[in-house]
Amino acid sequence: MALASLAASLPVAATAAAVRFPFRFRIGRAMASAAAGASPARVAVVQMTSVGDVDANYATCSRLTKEAAASGVKFLCFPEVFSFIGSKDGEAMKLAEPLDGPIMQRYCSLAKESSMWLSLGGFQEKGPDDSHQYNTHVLIDDTGKVRSSYRKIHLFDVDVPGNMVYKESRFTAAGDTIVAVDSPFGRLGLTVCYDLRFPELYQILRFKHQAQVLLVPSAFTKITGEAHWEILLRARAIETQCYVIAAAQAGKHNEKRESYGDSIIIDPWGTVIARLPDRLSTGFAVADLDLSKVEAVRTRMPISEVSVGYKALNRCKRSEKGELV
C-alpha cells in the first residue's frame, strides 16, 4: 500500500487531529530517548553478502557482532534479508517463521551475549496465509528482547531497466503499521529498503513521531543503487534532519541476484559520516551519534514550524483531482 495519497494533505507539523492516516502507528516508549546533552552513542552499519544458507549467514552476523562489540559498538544495524537470500522463487517463504521461532531466537541470544542492540531487517516472518510472508524489520535490545518490529509497507514490484522484473508482492504481504520506538540511541524510525522512495513515510516518522534516527536496511539492486542509493538517503536525512543508518546487501548472492552495497551513516545535515572503503566488502563502519547535533540543526533551520508560506498554500483551492487551482 502506497503513501503517495498523503503528499497533499500532510502538514509540516502534522497532528492526529489535523490529518487522518490510512495506517496504524506503533510507538514504543519503554524508555526515554537519549537526551540531547548525553554522550555520543557508538553505532555501526553492516555490509554483507547473504546467501541461501541460514547457518552460514548467522556465522557471518555472529562474527561481525562480536567484532563490533570489541570496538565499543552498542547498536549494530544489519541489512535487509540478512538471514537468507534464496535463488529460487518462493524459497525464502518456505523458511518463514514467527518472531519467536528458532532463527530469530538465535539472534536474540546473540544480542544478549554481546550486550548489544541489533537492527535486523528484513526478516522472513510468517505471513497471514500459506502463500505469503512479511518482510519484517526487527529491533532487539541488549537483553535479547524483541523491542519492536515493522512490516515493510512498500513492496518492490518493479521492472528494473535493462535488468529484470521483481514482484515482491507475489510472496510477501504488505504491512500497515508505521513504527517509531525510543532507544538509548535516540528515537528510531523503522523502515525497509523500497520504503526509501516514499518520502511521506519519513515525514510522518519525523514530524508526527519525532524520530531522530531513521533505519533503512536494504538490498538495492546494482542498477538502482548506482543511480539513486546515496542521493535518496541523503535527501531523507536533509528533509527530516535525522541521522540515517542504511545497512546494505552487497555483491553477488547467486547467479540471479546481485546487490549494490555501500552501507553508510549520514548525519542530520546530509553529510556521510561513515562508510566502508569498499562498497562490496563484508564488514561494518562505525560512527558516534550525537543527538545534540540533531537539535542544533533543527534549531538553526526550524522546518517543523508551520510557515506563512505553508498556510497560504493550505488555503489554496484544489480541484477534485487534487490539483491546485
Side-chain angles (χ1 to χ4, degrees):
M1 186 182 300
L3 284 169
S5 62
L6 297 182
S9 63
L10 178 64
V12 176
T15 64
V19 183
R20 297 182 65 185
F21 300 100
F23 300 106
R24 294 176 293 159
F25 304 93
R26 187 185 310 128
I27 308 173
R29 295 190 179 277
M31 64 181 69
S33 294
S39 300
R42 177 148 292 190
V43 304
V45 62
V46 168
Q47 186 170 283
M48 64 185 291
T49 308
S50 293
V51 295
D53 185 324
V54 171
D55 290 334
N57 294 328
Y58 176 78
T60 298
C61 293
S62 178
R63 174 177 61 83
L64 293 173
T65 299
K66 292 172 183 177
E67 291 176 2
S71 299
V73 172
K74 298 300 182 183
F75 183 31
L76 186 61
C77 300
F78 286 91
E80 185 181 23
V81 289
F82 62 95
S83 63
F84 183 84
I85 291 183
S87 59
K88 300 178 182 178
D89 289 344
E91 190 175 8
M93 194 191 69
K94 295 177 182 178
L95 296 175
E97 63 182 37
L99 297 188
D100 60 357
I103 295 177
M104 186 54 62
Q105 287 308 302
R106 292 180 77 181
Y107 287 90
C108 288
S109 297
L110 178 62
K112 183 176 181 180
E113 292 165 4
S114 305
S115 298
M116 184 183 301
W117 283 60
L118 299 179
S119 163
L120 304 167
F123 174 70
Q124 292 92 357
E125 180 189 6
K126 189 173 179 60
D129 55 56
D130 293 337
S131 301
H132 295 85
Q133 63 184 9
Y134 291 114
N135 188 343
T136 303
H137 184 168
V138 183
L139 186 69
I140 304 174
D141 67 19
D142 55 1
T143 69
K145 176 184 177 182
V146 174
R147 185 57 65 92
S148 191
S149 63
Y150 159 79
R151 293 169 175 166
K152 184 179 180 183
I153 291 173
H154 301 98
L155 302 182
F156 192 56
D157 290 356
V158 176
D159 184 352
V160 178
N163 194 267
M164 62 182 293
V165 176
Y166 294 85
K167 190 74 173 177
E168 187 177 12
S169 64
R170 183 179 175 189
F171 297 106
T172 304
D176 63 358
T177 304
I178 295 172
V179 179
V181 61
D182 285 332
S183 80
F185 321 101
R187 188 154 179 75
L188 309 176
L190 277 59
T191 69
V192 177
C193 198
Y194 192 51
D195 285 330
L196 181 61
R197 294 184 181 273
F198 299 85
E200 297 94 337
L201 172 58
Y202 297 87
Q203 296 287 309
I204 293 171
L205 286 168
R206 157 66 166 100
F207 296 112
K208 183 173 177 62
H209 297 303
Q210 294 77 50
Q212 297 166 301
V213 182
L214 302 172
L215 306 179
V216 195
S218 301
F220 259 50
T221 69
K222 184 175 183 291
I223 290 177
T224 58
E226 288 175 343
H228 302 144
W229 173 246
E230 183 176 333
I231 296 170
L232 288 170
L233 289 167
R234 293 182 69 188
R236 297 296 89 83
I238 293 167
E239 68 198 12
T240 63
Q241 300 172 319
C242 289
Y243 280 101
V244 171
I245 304 177
Q249 288 286 346
K252 296 200 71 172
H253 309 283
N254 51 57
E255 292 303 315
K256 295 182 179 180
R257 184 165 179 176
E258 182 177 4
S259 295
Y260 178 67
D262 196 22
S263 293
I264 54 179
I265 301 176
I266 303 169
D267 74 12
W269 191 244
T271 302
V272 176
I273 59 173
R275 77 190 328 154
L276 279 77
D278 179 353
R279 70 173 178 83
L280 296 178
S281 64
T282 293
F284 58 87
V286 178
D288 293 322
L289 302 193
D290 185 354
L291 295 183
S292 67
K293 185 162 189 175
V294 174
E295 298 308 313
V297 170
R298 294 178 180 182
T299 298
R300 293 170 184 169
M301 190 173 290
I303 61 174
S304 63
E305 295 180 6
V306 179
S307 67
V308 173
Y310 174 76
K311 289 180 179 178
L313 182 62
N314 199 40
R315 287 196 298 269
C316 291
K317 294 182 179 179
R318 293 181 180 271
S319 70
E320 291 182 358
K321 296 181 178 179
E323 300 167 340
L324 290 175
V325 294

